[in-house]
Amino acid sequence: MKQLQSYEDFEKALAIEKVPEIDLDRVKAKVYAVRKRQYRLKLALVLASALVLTLAVGVAAFNGWELKSDKGRSIVSYLQQDANWLKEDKKAEELFEKYSNEFEQLAASLGSNEAGIFIVTESYSKYNRSYMSYGDNKYYEINEIKAIAKDNIKLPSSLPRDLAFKEGTVIYETELSNMELSLLKEELYKKAKAEGLEYITKKIQISKEPNNINLSYRSTSGSAVLSVSKCPISMFSDIKNEKGEVLTLETGEVLIVEKGGENASIEHIFIKELGDQAYMYTIRTNNIRFNSEELSEIIGSLN
Amino acid sequence: MEQQSDIDLSFDGLLAAYGRRLYIYCFHMLRSKPDAEDAVQEVFTKLYMKKNDISKINNLQAWLYKIAYNHCLNVLRRRQILSFIPLQSFQSEKAICTQQDILEEELSHELESGLMKLSPNERTVLLLRVLEDKSYEEISSITGSSCGTVRKQFERARKKISQYINSCEGVKANETAAIL
C-alpha cells in the first residue's frame, strides 16, 4: 500500500525513518589503524631525517605545536585559532552568560557524588559548547590528595622557589566514558531542540577515580597552580594569541606558554605516560618562570 | 565549584558529536549501511590527517560535511561506472516478520525510490535542509554552489519528489481501476 501522499509526508517519513545503527567503535578502530600506519611512517621519516639534521629548538612565533610525552609520543596538537574562532568564542561566552544563574542553581543542587551537564541549546548548536559542574568542591590537604591519587596519578614532592602547598581540589571521572558522555550531550541537545528548550541540564554520577587534581602553592614572590589531568593519547587543544616555546629536556618536552592580558600568567606544560594512560601536567604561575633545571627537578620528582 | 567550558575537539568528542549525524546524511545519500560507515571512516581519517591545519578551517562542521559530500559523490560516480552491480538495499539484511516491518520496508522503499529520482546535488541539498535544518548559506559552503543555486536545487528537488509521489498515485489509481 502506498504510504506517501504528498511532499510533506516524504519529509516527515525521511526524518523518522529507522536508519540502521552505526558502529562508531568499529569506525574508530579503523581510523586508528590508519593512524597507526601513519605514525609508523612518520617515525621512519623522523629517524631518516635525524641522520642529516641537528634539531635546534628555540623561541619562535607560536603557530601551534605538537607536544610529545616523556615516551616521545605526540599527544597534543596545539592549534592557533584564527580571528573568526575568537569571535565565535566570545559569542558562545555571551550566550552562556545569559544562563549563568541557571548554571549556578544546577551547581548548587549537586550532591558530592554528582556532576551536572549544562547545555545552552543555541550555543551547542552553533559552537558545540557544553558546560559541566562537579559536586565535590572540597579543599583537601596534601596527604588527603596523595591518598586520593594513590599510585595512579604521580605528584611532585614539592615545587622550587619556596612555593608552599596551600590547598588542593579533585575532579572525579564520570561513570561514562568520553564517548558515552559526548553521545549523552548530543541526545540532550536533540531533546532540548525538539522541546523548544533554551537550555537543558542532566545530573550524572561520578566515580571514585580522580580525573583531574589541582594543587595551589604560594610564596612571598608569587603563586602557582599545578593541574594534572588524564588526557587522550591524541587530542587537539586550541590556543589563542599566546607566545610559546618548547624546551627539550632529558625528561621530555616542556611547552612554555605566556598568556598576556589582564590575567597574565605563564604555563609550563608537559605530558607523562603511565601504562596506557597519558597525564598532562600544567603549572600555571604568576611572576615565576621556571628554568630548565627547575623543570627537570619537578619532573624527576614525580612519584 | 568547577566549571568547564568544553569544546570537545578530541577525536572521541568529534566522532561522538558528528559521527552519527554524518552517517545518517551519508546513509541517505548512498542508501547503504557499509558504504555510509566507510564514508564516515573516510571523513574522520581525513580529519586526523589534517589535524595540524584545523586552525585554518573556519567552520569545522561544514568542512566535515564537505568531505562527506565529496566522498558520497565519488561513490555514486563509481556506482555509475559499475552500474551492473546491483545496489544492495539495507532492508534486505533485515528479517521481515510483522505487519509493522512490512509497512516500514515499503516506506523505506518509497523513500529510496524518491531519493533516487534526485541528482546527487539535489539529494544533498534536500537532506541537509530536511534532516539537518541547515540554511542555504551553510549548504552553499558545503557544496561550493552559490546560495541562489542551492535554493533552486532545493525547489527542484521538492518538485521532483512531488511529481514522483503523484506519478505513483496515478499508477496506483490505474491498478485499482484495473482490479475493479
Side-chain angles (χ1 to χ4, degrees), chain A residues 1-28 30-32 34-35 38-39 42 63 66 74 77 79-82 84-85 88-89 93 96 103-104 107-108 110 124-137 169-171 178-179 181-183 185-186 189-190 193 212 214 232 234-238, chain B residues 1-21 23-24 27-28 31 33-34 36-38 40-42 44-45 47-61 90-91 93-94 100-112 114-115 118 126-127 130-133 154 157-159 161-162 164-169 172:
Chain A
M1 194 177 75
K2 190 175 164 303
Q3 296 177 58
L4 300 175
Q5 306 296 330
S6 64
Y7 172 78
E8 285 69 30
D9 285 352
F10 183 89
E11 266 199 4
K12 276 182 211 155
L14 193 60
I16 60 165
E17 187 188 14
K18 276 186 196 162
V19 171
E21 278 303 314
I22 183 173
D23 184 348
L24 285 177
D25 285 334
R26 194 173 78 96
V27 172
K28 188 174 152 185
K30 280 187 170 183
V31 174
Y32 270 57
V34 175
R35 291 165 60 167
Q38 284 169 347
Y39 177 70
K42 198 173 163 188
N63 293 317
E66 279 204 346
S74 279
S77 300
L79 305 159
Q80 186 86 50
Q81 299 301 343
D82 58 17
N84 193 43
W85 179 281
E88 288 194 351
D89 197 36
E93 279 309 305
F96 173 72
F103 179 77
E104 287 303 324
L110 294 171
Y124 190 92
S125 156
K126 288 183 178 167
Y127 312 111
N128 195 27
R129 302 293 167 91
S130 59
Y131 301 86
M132 283 192 77
S133 179
Y134 294 84
D136 184 344
N137 56 350
T169 57
V170 180
I171 296 176
N178 284 344
M179 176 73 84
L181 193 58
S182 299
L183 288 171
K185 287 176 190 172
E186 194 63 19
Y189 161 68
K190 280 183 192 156
K193 201 179 169 196
N212 173 274
N214 294 290
S234 173
M235 66 176 282
F236 303 116
S237 181
D238 68 305
Chain B
M1 201 62 66
E2 288 291 332
Q3 175 198 324
Q4 179 187 334
S5 171
D6 177 11
I7 314 163
D8 198 351
L9 285 174
S10 68
F11 188 80
D12 278 0
L14 290 169
L15 187 60
Y18 297 116
R20 190 169 152 72
R21 285 164 69 182
Y23 165 74
I24 290 174
F27 175 80
H28 285 301
R31 299 299 292 186
K33 177 176 164 23
E37 273 192 4
D38 285 351
V40 176
Q41 182 204 325
E42 176 77 12
F44 281 91
T45 302
L47 175 74
Y48 176 74
M49 288 161 75
K50 287 279 282 185
K51 65 179 176 157
N52 294 331
D53 294 327
I54 282 198
S55 56
K56 293 174 191 159
I57 302 170
N58 278 339
N59 183 339
L60 186 59
Q61 197 181 129
F90 81 93
Q91 293 292 343
E93 298 166 7
K94 193 168 81 174
Q100 182 62 28
D101 288 336
I102 294 168
L103 287 174
E104 280 176 13
E105 162 84 0
E106 282 176 356
L107 186 60
S108 281
H109 181 70
E110 282 183 51
L111 286 172
E112 187 167 317
L115 287 170
L118 309 178
L126 183 117
L127 292 173
V130 174
L131 300 176
E132 290 281 328
D133 204 19
F154 182 60
R158 282 176 63 115
K159 210 168 173 180
I161 296 292
S162 297
Y164 159 72
I165 291 169
N166 291 336
S167 69
C168 292
E169 194 69 31
K172 190 77 198 167

Side-chain angles (χ1 to χ4, degrees), chain B residues 36-101:
Chain B
E37 273 192 4
D38 285 351
V40 176
Q41 182 204 325
E42 176 77 12
V43 172
F44 281 91
T45 302
K46 285 209 165 129
L47 175 74
Y48 176 74
M49 288 161 75
K50 287 279 282 185
K51 65 179 176 157
N52 294 331
D53 294 327
I54 282 198
S55 56
K56 293 174 191 159
I57 302 170
N58 278 339
N59 183 339
L60 186 59
Q61 197 181 129
W63 185 84
L64 292 169
Y65 275 94
K66 195 171 187 158
I67 302 289
Y69 163 73
N70 286 331
H71 180 83
C72 288
L73 285 192
N74 284 337
V75 173
L76 292 169
R77 276 189 207 118
R78 262 203 312 275
R79 272 190 199 161
Q80 261 183 342
I81 296 166
L82 304 170
S83 56
F84 55 87
I85 297 176
L87 181 69
Q88 187 197 358
S89 171
F90 81 93
Q91 293 292 343
S92 62
E93 298 166 7
K94 193 168 81 174
I96 296 170
C97 40
T98 65
Q99 182 65 21
Q100 182 62 28
D101 288 336

Side-chain angles (χ1 to χ4, degrees), chain A residues 267-279:
Chain A
E267 286 185 353
H268 311 71
I269 307 168
F270 53 92
I271 294 163
K272 199 167 171 61
E273 286 190 59
L274 192 66
D276 294 336
Q277 184 62 53
Y279 295 88

Side-chain angles (χ1 to χ4, degrees), chain A residues 71-210:
Chain A
K71 299 263 164 65
R73 186 154 45 158
S74 279
I75 303 284
V76 191
S77 300
Y78 288 89
L79 305 159
Q80 186 86 50
Q81 299 301 343
D82 58 17
N84 193 43
W85 179 281
L86 294 174
K87 219 158 62 185
E88 288 194 351
D89 197 36
K90 205 174 162 200
K91 282 185 197 164
E93 279 309 305
E94 282 168 7
L95 278 175
F96 173 72
E97 278 304 311
K98 275 165 63 180
Y99 301 93
S100 55
N101 285 341
E102 287 81 356
F103 179 77
E104 287 303 324
Q105 277 170 21
L106 169 71
S109 71
L110 294 171
S112 62
N113 58 344
E114 286 179 324
I117 303 172
F118 190 83
I119 288 176
V120 177
T121 318
E122 194 180 348
S123 179
Y124 190 92
S125 156
K126 288 183 178 167
Y127 312 111
N128 195 27
R129 302 293 167 91
S130 59
Y131 301 86
M132 283 192 77
S133 179
Y134 294 84
D136 184 344
N137 56 350
K138 266 165 63 181
Y139 290 111
Y140 293 97
E141 293 298 326
I142 189 70
N143 290 337
E144 293 175 300
I145 292 275
K146 282 188 173 164
I148 291 166
K150 294 180 225 152
D151 285 334
N152 301 332
I153 298 183
K154 305 287 183 195
L155 298 171
S157 47
S158 62
L159 291 187
R161 309 222 189 169
D162 295 327
L163 283 161
F165 173 81
K166 192 171 162 257
E167 62 205 7
T169 57
V170 180
I171 296 176
Y172 290 93
E173 285 184 1
T174 68
E175 288 192 334
L176 303 173
S177 68
N178 284 344
M179 176 73 84
E180 287 168 335
L181 193 58
S182 299
L183 288 171
L184 174 61
K185 287 176 190 172
E186 194 63 19
E187 270 174 34
L188 288 171
Y189 161 68
K190 280 183 192 156
K191 186 168 184 265
K193 201 179 169 196
E195 293 176 10
L197 304 173
E198 290 180 24
Y199 67 91
I200 191 163
T201 63
K202 171 100 180 156
K203 288 182 185 176
I204 51 175
Q205 294 290 306
I206 52 176
S207 73
K208 290 286 168 207
E209 281 298 310

